[in-house]
Amino acid sequence: MKTIECAIIGSGPAGYTAAIYAARANLNPVLIQGMQPGGQLTTTNDVENYPGYPEGVTGPEMMEDFKKQAERFGTKIIFGTITSVKFNKNIGGLHQLTIDNKEEIQAKTVIISTGASAKYLGLESESRFMGSGVSACAVCDGFFFKNQDVVVVGGGDSAAEEATYLAKLCNKVYLLVRKNEMRASKIMQKRVFDTNNLEVLFNHETLEILGEKTVQSIKVIDTKENKEKVIKATGFFLAIGHNPNTEIFKNQLDMDEVGYLITKHDSSKTNMPGVFASGDAQDSIYRQAITAAGSGCMAALDAERYLADLN
Ligand code: NDP
């Protein structure tokens, strides 16, 4: 079995930043990309708030830049998914990782940057129409709904971003917000309200997605008026937040009730020696590309120091 100094799980801003720092510190990192190479930003259209891109950049382009920078310093990038882990509780012990249920590697340090995944409402009709009108990624699937009417669910920045993105492509966008206010930042809300073909429906919840083979309409309830109605729409987009991708670390690493990994104060250290966590897998508060990148840097520095102390 191959033994390496540093394994990095995940390829979002946290993973690639950890790789850049670990590679420049001669840790010869191996980065395993995971199911969504480039992470959540590959489904984002315009990134306008990442320093260093004064004109903005698309998520996929930015992640390609991150990847190139990590490769430039010798990071080995593997297209695959970690399917199981066995962490070693002893200081200096080797951690075992299995890639795609086949290849096994052991690592002296592991940096977890597995990010988070989109949440769904949990309706039966939602899973039935998955890929046939139901999506959690407007940038990936919006094109298929060109000139059609669509519904977006959510009231945060993601919902505002997805809805305004779709409004450029679609005939009409309905944004269903379950409360009587949006959680999105003021600037994003302004964009929503300034968009002519975007209608915000406050106090609205989804009851069912209707159709035969594909989505044809959405049955909703106005909870203030206690009135049901049907909105004609062929696309149904979820933008209601995310869950951390930490399932495979259960029973080995400390996590909160939602599954966010718990790190020691002012560090990226988990409860396991040599295992560090960064990015959205451990951050339920900030969840930004820039904060994820910063925590990836912290994880690589912590890994480097841990290895130096062992020697
Ligand atoms: P948030 O957790 O901020 O918002 C989730 C939204 O979905 C809330 O409005 C919530 O409603 C609603 N919601 C949750 N569950 C349900 C449900 N079952 N039914 C109906 N509505 C539901 O998630 P986001 O993904 O929007 O944002 C996450 C983080 O990423 C934030 O920090 C955000 O600022 C950031 N972000 C920044 C962007 C940018 O700057 N360009 C773009 C996208 C995200 P309620 O308010 O009632 O709880």
Side-chain angles (χ1 to χ4, degrees), residues 49 121 155-158 161 178-179 183 240-242 287-288:
N49 51 10
L121 295 173
D157 280 331
S158 297
E161 194 179 66
R178 67 177 172 183
K179 288 189 186 144
R183 192 194 292 198
I240 57 168
H242 293 82
R287 296 180 292 184
Q288 300 298 299

Side-chain angles (χ1 to χ4, degrees), residues 1-5 94-97 104-108:
M1 200 190 302
K2 200 167 155 195
T3 302
I4 59 172
E5 297 282 300
L94 293 173
H95 306 292
Q96 286 183 26
L97 311 176
E104 295 213 347
I105 53 173
Q106 40 188 23
K108 292 184 190 168

